[in-house]
Every structure is written in C-alpha cells, then in structure tokens.
Amino acid sequence: VELGLSEGFVAALDQLDATPERDTFQIPVLYVCKGQRRADAVAHNAIENSDFLHFLHCLAWPVDLRAHPGWKGSLSADVCQTAPYYADVTAEVIFHVPGLCSHPVPPAFR
C-alpha cells in the first residue's frame, strides 16, 4: 500500500520536526538593592551579594553562552556571556539576570 504524501502531510511532519523535545522557559531574575525604586537602576545593578549568588547557584548552573549548545531564549553571547541554566528530560530553563549581563561575572558564579 502506497502512502500518499500530500503537501499538507509533509508540512505537518516539518512542523513536528521543528517542535522542541522539551518545554523551554526564559525567566528574569532581578537583584534589587535596598531602597531602589527605579527600574533602570535595578537593571544595571552589579551583583556583589553572596547570598544572591548562592541563590542563583541553587536555581541553576552557570553556562557560557558563547559555547552553550542548549536553549538560550532571547539571550545572545554578544550581550550576556554567562547565564544560569537548568535542564532535565522535560524542560530547559534559562534565567536572564541583567546584573550578569551588564557587569563582569562575579568569580563566585563561575
């Protein structure tokens, strides 16, 4: 029995092939210093708080976006070199931490 390969069937197979095998998420994580009220100030915070860096390590492991083959969300290595990343068999999560993008990566998060 010959299987009829219509254009619609082939397009559906192409769409299926392009579907990621895991759910993907990009989650922003902001470090807000005491007394900060303005979003532009929060977005440019340098992360020097060891408790916050520990929190990031508990969320995920740091990946170098220049070499990372996994999902990166909308992050680009041109803008941000390191980001927290988590993956398991069902999901990939990249955490967008502006303080890691706009400043050198703290040694405690490498």
Side-chain angles (χ1 to χ4, degrees):
V1 175
E2 185 176 323
L3 181 62
L5 297 178
S6 69
E7 285 185 32
F9 181 71
V10 172
L13 285 178
D14 287 340
Q15 183 179 5
L16 181 62
D17 284 343
T19 303
E21 57 273 354
R22 298 186 271 191
D23 291 329
T24 54
F25 303 93
Q26 179 173 332
I27 301 172
V29 180
L30 300 172
Y31 177 70
V32 181
C33 295
K34 184 176 181 177
Q36 283 188 318
R37 302 276 188 258
R38 296 180 43 174
D40 60 336
V42 171
H44 294 95
N45 279 338
I47 299 172
E48 299 169 354
N49 183 294
S50 62
D51 290 334
F52 185 75
L53 292 171
H54 178 75
F55 168 72
L56 291 177
H57 270 293
C58 290
L59 285 177
W61 56 90
V63 294
D64 183 339
L65 294 175
R66 296 168 294 187
H68 179 59
W71 190 73
K72 299 174 192 165
S74 64
L75 293 178
S76 162
D78 295 335
V79 176
C80 192
Q81 293 183 359
T82 303
Y85 172 82
Y86 172 82
D88 64 16
V89 296
T90 63
E92 287 183 86
V93 182
I94 193 89
F95 295 92
H96 182 179
V97 184
L100 293 177
C101 296
S102 57
H103 299 281
V105 177
F109 193 68
R110 292 185 187 146

